[in-house]
């Protein structure tokens, strides 16, 4: 399935009036993890109220102990501070990486903005070394823009 095919399915999930916000987010996670071979863990983190930390939202993949991530810590925490996409081709080369699983080789994190504020992110782990392309980034930016309409 192409990214364009997936874009229309993401939009369909977002506009489904029969689902609540978390059901829509979980549906997107399932859609991406099922249809993109190098997406092995797909989840959302959101700013935890007024605290300088992220709280885990809906996800699919192996269970994680990282329900809360302080701003600045790990790839997700760095994106919360930088407000920029972060593509990590090799997690073992990152000093500030929080290991979730020994099988993870690469990670991509894209921020979600609402009214110019970074309120969360999509986080994707891959068991494949260096799998993420510019097309992945653009597609995930689209996903985050769609998700921002729910928040």
């Amino acid at each position: 399935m192409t990214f364009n095919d997936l874009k229309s399915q993401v939009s369909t999930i977002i506009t489904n009036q029969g689902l609540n916000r978390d059901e829509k987010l979980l549906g997107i996670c399932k859609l991406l993890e099922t249809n993109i071979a190098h997406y092995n863990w797909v989840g959302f983190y959101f700013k935890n109220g007024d605290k300088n930390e992220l709280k885990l939202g809906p996800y699919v993949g192996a269970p994680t102990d990282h329900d809360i991530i302080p701003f600045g810590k790990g790839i997700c925490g760095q994106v919360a501070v930088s407000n920029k996409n972060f593509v990590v081709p090799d997690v073992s080369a990152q000093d500030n990486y929080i290991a979730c699983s020994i099988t993870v080789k690469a990670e991509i994190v894209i921020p979600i903005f609402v009214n110019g504020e970074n309120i969360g992110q999509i986080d994707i782990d891959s068991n494949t070394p260096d799998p993420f392309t510019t097309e992945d980034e653009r597609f995930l930016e689209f996903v985050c823009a769609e998700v921002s309409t729910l928040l």
Side-chain angles (χ1 to χ4, degrees):
M1 189 172 297
T2 69
F3 284 137
N4 279 338
D5 294 333
L6 290 171
K7 282 182 177 181
S8 66
Q9 291 191 33
V10 167
S11 296
T12 298
I13 291 169
I14 293 290
T15 58
N16 184 335
Q17 298 299 315
L19 300 175
N20 68 32
R21 185 193 86 154
D22 282 354
E23 290 168 333
K24 290 176 183 184
L25 294 173
L26 183 60
I28 291 168
C29 292
K30 288 178 180 177
L31 177 71
L32 302 187
E33 192 271 339
T34 301
N35 290 286
I36 303 173
H38 58 280
Y39 289 14
N40 301 110
W41 191 97
V42 179
F44 291 96
Y45 281 94
F46 294 101
K47 187 169 186 224
N48 191 11
D50 291 334
K51 300 175 184 172
N52 284 330
E53 64 185 23
L54 298 166
K55 185 174 182 180
L56 181 62
Y59 74 94
V60 295
T64 180
D65 292 333
H66 303 115
D67 294 343
I68 300 290
I69 298 176
F71 281 14
K73 187 164 172 62
I75 307 308
C76 291
Q78 291 177 75
V79 169
V81 173
S82 74
N83 299 321
K84 295 185 171 132
N85 298 353
F86 200 157
V87 181
V88 182
D90 177 4
V91 295
S92 69
Q94 285 293 314
D95 292 338
N96 191 4
Y97 172 68
I98 303 172
C100 293
S101 166
I102 59 168
T103 62
V104 175
K105 305 292 185 224
E107 183 173 8
I108 186 169
V109 179
I110 308 293
I112 301 168
F113 295 98
V114 173
N115 298 322
E117 181 185 354
N118 180 349
I119 55 86
Q121 54 202 228
I122 190 167
D123 177 22
I124 298 174
D125 291 342
S126 180
N127 298 340
T128 304
D130 195 12
F132 302 114
T133 65
T134 303
E135 289 77 26
D136 288 283
E137 265 192 276
R138 298 298 85 80
F139 170 68
L140 293 170
E141 287 168 351
F142 167 84
V143 171
C144 289
E146 289 286 291
V147 166
S148 74
T149 66
L150 299 174
L151 308 171

